[in-house]
Amino acid sequence: MVKNNVQTFEYKAEMKQLLHLIIHSLYTHPEIFLRELVSNASDALNKVKYRMLTDQNILDKDTELAVKITVDSKKKTFSIEDNGIGMNKEDLTENIGIVARSGTLEFLQKMKEEKKQTGDLIGKFGVGFYSVFMVTDQVVIETRHADKDSKGYRWVSSGEASYSIEEIDRKERGTKISFTLKETAHEFAEEFRVKEIIKKYSNFSDFSIFLGKDKINTVEALWRRREKDVKAQERNEFYKFITNDYEDPQSYLHLSIEGAGAEFRALLFIPSKAQFDLMRLHQHKTIQLYSNKIMIMDNCKDLLPEYLQFIRGVVDTSDLPLNVSREMIQSSQVLGKIKDVLTNRIIKWLQELADKETEKYLKFYKSFGPLFKMGLNSDFANREKLIELLRFETSTQKEGEMSSLKDYTKRMPENQKEIYYLSGDNREFAERNPNLEYFKKNNVEVLFLLDPVDVFIMPSIPEYDKKPIKSIDKGDIEINDTADNAGQKEDKLSESLIGLFRETLKDKVEDVKISKRLVDSAVTLVSGKNAADPQLERMMKMMGQDMPSAKRVLEVNIGHSVIKNLSRKYLAGPSDYFLKKCIVQLYESAQLVDGELSSRTEYVKRMMEIMEEATK
Ligand code: ADP
């Protein structure tokens, strides 16, 4: 239909349904209309830039390529203009007038029926432009193609049954899209709001984006440059911009990947320090995902395995459409590939830090170790590499110094067949553990597991370099008789005293044994062969997990003077009530050392009775 030079076109039936769906039920985030329009404008600018490489004979060839946004908060109007390639009449009917990709309608309908969030899918189906109908009832496009002999056109639609096209007198190259905002979308007439959205999605656009007179996108997409062309200061600023951190990052990784089934660039950082605690990990942000410099997701957790989610940064790939939903990301093969490549590269990066920049590595390890170590129990493909990256303080090294398992085994004397560890809340606590006495005295190195997470992962590493790894808190370690404890060979007397221990404590312990590991202490509690690490038990309880505590084994140092005295008393009168009282007190003092004593009042009361007896 032609009226005063205005031609009206009916949308096809499918298109009508589609528009109805888009306008009335699909969108969840109206703000994405702005991202879609800016992205279309950048595409158009890129096209003209590309064309100028070979053909300078176009309209306005000397103007700066830019996007201009104008809002009027009183009139509630919005416009976005670019001096990109522009559109001729055919483009308007073919590209804007119809949704080219078939199957779109069925897909969206299905999504609607299943009540999935479809708002984020719009662009995937080439209907990005139509997202503007979320915020307005009528759109005007004025455009002129870059060809010198082109004409200007005005396209108008209310997104229902039809659109119209008329020829206009337009001098400039490019496209202007303008409209009045619906009542529910008045926020987009406010400059601060528009600025916020541009910063969020389009800050790294190649072209200047102006809001009124101000250029509002400020940060360059550094990841697109070559690593050697980026100055450290620029990189740090960039990190601070994307993370809101005020300190520099600990380290960075600049990647440009081709082949390997995925093509992408990435700029990743180890943050200055842990900005989250493990329990609230899900709230913490990780990777921003870009498609050709336009952000498509600002926290794409699916790009990293959980244990590497302390990493911050950006990944930019042209293999993804602008609009992808979370569900699609999860099932996307491209993303799966990127995740694999990232995981491998990050582990390699950490290995290099560990080898060449030990101090930096330890700083990383102290801030993010608790999360990172969890990878051992989830990433089985990389387990061996992760084991090499573990670090521990040890009983023979200075406080604060950390060793790898490799360092430890290098220091092992030839006759030591096992690797030993001991868990504790902190170094001091570990040092005071009676179970360490034998090892200290004989200069046998013991790894200290001071991070609560360690007790979750060590039991899953039964050996390293063919050497069994064992907790010295357990009953089954091999301790050689040395000159020092040779004198503690069981004799008849101590055997029967041990019998009295067993009888007295029969409800409380699994067994009582003569100890080979004690030097200065009289007694200690160790775990039975199959029991869990006591530290682990405590942790589980703290986390509210019901874990029946296994009974433990009491080890007695028969060389200790208190035990010798008890033997003598036993000889004099085996059924002495006082003897039993001392045995219970010894047991409870071992519990006290382990932080497991349940009734301190009972304990103190009994101690008073014993002191009274001793001072009689
Ligand atoms: P998509 O961008 O995914 O192709 P859209 O619905 O957003 O889908 O846009 C449809 C088409 O309209 C674009 O591919 C492009 O050819 C054209 N177009 C949209 N905006 C512009 C613009 N600002 N300048 C030139 N062409 C445009």
Side-chain angles (χ1 to χ4, degrees):
M1 198 170 82
V2 186
K3 197 174 112 194
N4 301 336
N5 188 27
V6 182
Q7 230 182 326
T8 308
F9 301 81
E10 283 285 308
Y11 284 119
K12 288 204 181 111
E14 187 190 48
M15 186 63 192
K16 281 186 204 163
Q17 276 173 284
L18 195 58
L19 284 169
H20 188 83
L21 258 179
I22 292 169
I23 298 163
H24 297 287
S25 46
L26 288 176
Y27 284 107
T28 48
H29 306 297
E31 67 181 36
I32 67 156
F33 90 88
L34 189 46
R35 176 182 72 176
E36 298 301 328
L37 295 187
V38 170
S39 160
N40 282 348
S42 313
D43 286 349
L45 289 165
N46 267 322
K47 280 180 195 156
V48 87
K49 191 173 158 188
Y50 186 74
R51 165 122 176 220
M52 276 196 280
L53 293 176
T54 52
D55 178 9
Q56 295 275 320
N57 187 28
I58 57 166
L59 275 181
D60 311 329
K61 76 174 175 50
D62 295 322
T63 53
E64 186 206 351
L65 298 178
V67 180
K68 289 189 180 116
I69 297 171
T70 315
V71 292
D72 186 326
S73 62
K74 287 207 188 77
K75 293 189 186 142
K76 311 295 174 198
T77 55
F78 184 102
S79 78
I80 175 168
E81 179 164 17
D82 65 69
N83 52 354
I85 193 76
M87 283 180 272
N88 53 33
K89 193 169 171 184
E90 199 185 330
D91 293 331
L92 282 170
T93 47
E94 293 301 311
N95 297 338
I96 294 275
I98 55 168
V99 171
R101 275 156 255 193
S102 62
T104 306
L105 182 65
E106 290 93 300
F107 180 83
L108 290 179
Q109 208 118 38
K110 198 160 153 265
M111 295 295 275
K112 186 195 164 193
E113 278 151 27
E114 291 172 13
K115 291 205 165 47
K116 289 206 175 123
Q117 295 213 334
T118 33
D120 294 345
L121 287 178
I122 301 302
K124 162 88 177 148
F125 297 96
V127 292
F129 165 74
Y130 280 93
S131 62
V132 25
F133 285 108
M134 284 187 292
V135 296
T136 184
D137 294 323
Q138 176 165 303
V139 180
V140 177
I141 302 177
E142 289 167 322
T143 184
R144 183 169 173 192
H145 195 272
D147 287 341
K148 277 199 163 147
D149 59 357
S150 67
K151 291 177 180 143
Y153 293 97
R154 177 181 296 125
W155 179 100
V156 182
S157 177
S158 55
E160 279 173 352
S162 61
Y163 60 89
S164 66
I165 297 179
E166 72 181 294
E167 212 178 295
I168 53 164
D169 184 26
R170 181 178 163 90
K171 303 231 159 11
E172 321 76 45
R173 179 188 82 205
T175 305
K176 178 175 183 179
I177 297 173
S178 39
F179 44 86
T180 303
L181 292 156
K182 279 187 203 179
E183 204 165 324
T184 51
H186 281 177
E187 59 185 295
F188 304 113
E190 303 297 334
E191 292 206 342
F192 82 92
R193 183 71 179 113
V194 170
K195 211 166 163 174
E196 186 179 80
I197 302 167
I198 298 285
K199 289 232 174 235
K200 180 167 172 190
Y201 295 109
S202 313
N203 210 14
F204 301 107
S205 167
D206 275 329
F207 306 101
S208 301
I209 301 174
F210 290 95
L211 178 60
K213 287 198 178 59
D214 303 331
K215 181 178 172 183
I216 50 175
N217 59 324
T218 45
V219 184
E220 197 194 339
L222 285 192
W223 64 86
R224 289 268 162 184
R225 285 207 229 148
R226 281 177 305 182
E227 180 178 356
K228 66 178 174 54
D229 296 338
V230 180
K231 292 193 196 83
Q233 199 199 339
E234 286 178 302
R235 196 162 32 231
N236 291 346
E237 290 303 318
F238 175 80
Y239 163 80
K240 289 174 190 168
F241 173 79
I242 59 164
T243 57
N244 290 327
D245 195 353
Y246 50 87
E247 281 177 60
D248 290 342
Q250 293 189 25
S251 183
Y252 76 93
L253 179 66
H254 194 135
L255 291 177
S256 173
I257 304 288
E258 276 167 34
E263 242 162 75
F264 66 95
R265 283 158 184 269
L267 185 51
L268 308 177
F269 299 94
I270 299 176
S272 62
K273 58 178 165 298
Q275 297 142 320
F276 55 91
D277 58 54
L278 279 177
M279 301 294 171
R280 281 189 296 154
L281 183 64
H282 58 282
Q283 295 172 357
H284 153 80
K285 290 197 171 174
T286 57
I287 301 280
Q288 296 184 341
L289 180 61
Y290 284 78
S291 165
N292 289 326
K293 299 189 198 172
I294 300 286
M295 184 160 78
I296 50 182
M297 210 174 261
D298 83 332
N299 183 19
C300 189
K301 294 212 184 305
D302 301 310
L303 274 177
L304 292 172
E306 188 155 302
Y307 73 100
L308 294 180
Q309 292 195 356
F310 56 89
I311 300 275
R312 299 290 311 263
V314 303
V315 169
D316 189 346
T317 174
S318 28
D319 292 349
L320 279 176
L322 195 53
N323 256 324
V324 277
S325 71
R326 181 147 290 279
E327 293 83 15
M328 288 177 76
I329 294 255
Q330 274 164 351
S331 57
S332 153
Q333 291 205 341
V334 180
L335 277 253
K337 275 270 180 274
I338 296 179
K339 182 177 174 178
D340 287 346
V341 175
L342 282 180
T343 306
N344 281 321
R345 289 304 192 99
I346 292 169
I347 291 175
K348 210 168 129 205
W349 171 28
L350 294 173
Q351 281 167 339
E352 277 170 20
L353 276 187
D355 292 345
K356 291 179 201 141
E357 297 184 85
T358 319
E359 229 161 86
K360 269 195 185 167
Y361 182 73
L362 289 185
K363 185 168 180 224
F364 145 76
Y365 195 78
K366 277 172 194 157
S367 12
F368 301 104
L371 175 60
F372 173 66
K373 285 183 258 189
M374 293 300 210
L376 271 161
N377 290 344
S378 57
D379 185 356
F380 297 105
N382 289 305
R383 204 174 137 81
E384 299 306 315
K385 291 181 200 155
L386 296 179
I387 288 177
E388 296 295 345
L389 286 168
L390 293 173
R391 296 291 181 273
F392 304 96
E393 291 199 21
T394 87
S395 60
T396 59
Q397 306 298 110
K398 276 203 230 81
E399 183 163 359
E401 270 175 33
M402 309 274 280
S403 296
S404 63
L405 285 168
K406 190 177 259 149
D407 298 336
Y408 177 100
T409 49
K410 271 191 204 148
R411 291 193 291 262
M412 268 168 79
E414 220 171 291
N415 63 351
Q416 186 186 335
K417 301 283 182 263
E418 301 175 332
I419 295 170
Y420 300 112
Y421 70 85
L422 173 65
S423 63
D425 291 345
N426 54 51
R427 173 108 188 183
E428 204 190 333
F429 197 85
E431 296 263 14
R432 279 207 311 249
N433 191 314
N435 294 345
L436 190 63
E437 289 168 4
Y438 164 88
F439 296 86
K440 263 195 178 157
K441 179 137 194 166
N442 295 289
N443 223 1
V444 180
E445 186 169 8
V446 176
L447 301 169
F448 286 152
L449 274 49
L450 306 179
D451 174 3
V453 170
D454 291 340
V455 293
F456 287 101
I457 55 159
M458 277 314 254
S460 74
I461 316 174
E463 57 171 46
Y464 175 82
D465 193 19
K466 301 211 177 75
K467 299 170 180 75
I469 302 184
K470 289 190 172 172
S471 160
I472 67 164
D473 260 335
K474 286 212 175 178
D476 70 333
I477 51 170
E478 257 178 59
I479 293 180
N480 303 322
D481 283 347
T482 59
D484 289 310
N485 58 22
Q488 299 181 12
K489 281 259 151 54
E490 291 181 44
D491 53 39
K492 268 234 155 63
L493 177 60
S494 17
E495 235 170 65
S496 30
L497 179 68
I498 294 294
L500 184 67
F501 266 84
R502 277 194 191 114
E503 190 193 312
T504 314
L505 302 172
K506 63 177 179 293
D507 299 331
K508 298 189 165 75
V509 298
E510 187 186 287
D511 198 6
V512 181
K513 285 181 178 157
I514 291 175
S515 182
K516 290 178 179 173
R517 70 184 98 200
L518 291 177
V519 179
D520 302 318
S521 301
V523 290
T524 188
L525 283 165
V526 300
S527 304
K529 243 188 192 165
N530 302 314
D533 187 286
Q535 183 86 357
L536 179 64
E537 258 180 36
R538 270 202 296 280
M539 285 270 306
M540 299 301 270
K541 277 195 191 131
M542 248 160 55
M543 286 163 36
Q545 294 273 352
D546 219 16
M547 192 165 166
S549 29
K551 281 188 186 168
R552 304 177 63 193
V553 174
L554 184 76
E555 287 196 0
V556 179
N557 177 3
I558 55 174
H560 195 277
S561 50
V562 170
I563 305 296
K564 280 186 188 152
N565 290 348
L566 286 181
S567 299
R568 232 171 286 130
K569 266 208 177 303
Y570 179 74
L571 208 57
S575 57
D576 191 341
Y577 177 69
F578 180 70
L579 262 178
K580 287 196 176 170
K581 195 175 273 182
C582 289
I583 287 173
V584 176
Q585 196 68 1
L586 280 166
Y587 166 69
E588 289 198 359
S589 49
Q591 281 191 310
L592 181 68
V593 170
D594 273 0
E596 282 172 9
L597 183 62
S598 52
S599 168
R600 279 185 283 181
T601 31
E602 281 291 310
Y603 179 83
V604 171
K605 193 170 146 240
R606 205 180 307 105
M607 184 168 75
M608 285 303 160
E609 288 166 16
I610 292 169
M611 278 164 72
E612 193 186 331
E613 182 77 25
T615 51
K616 219 163 41 189

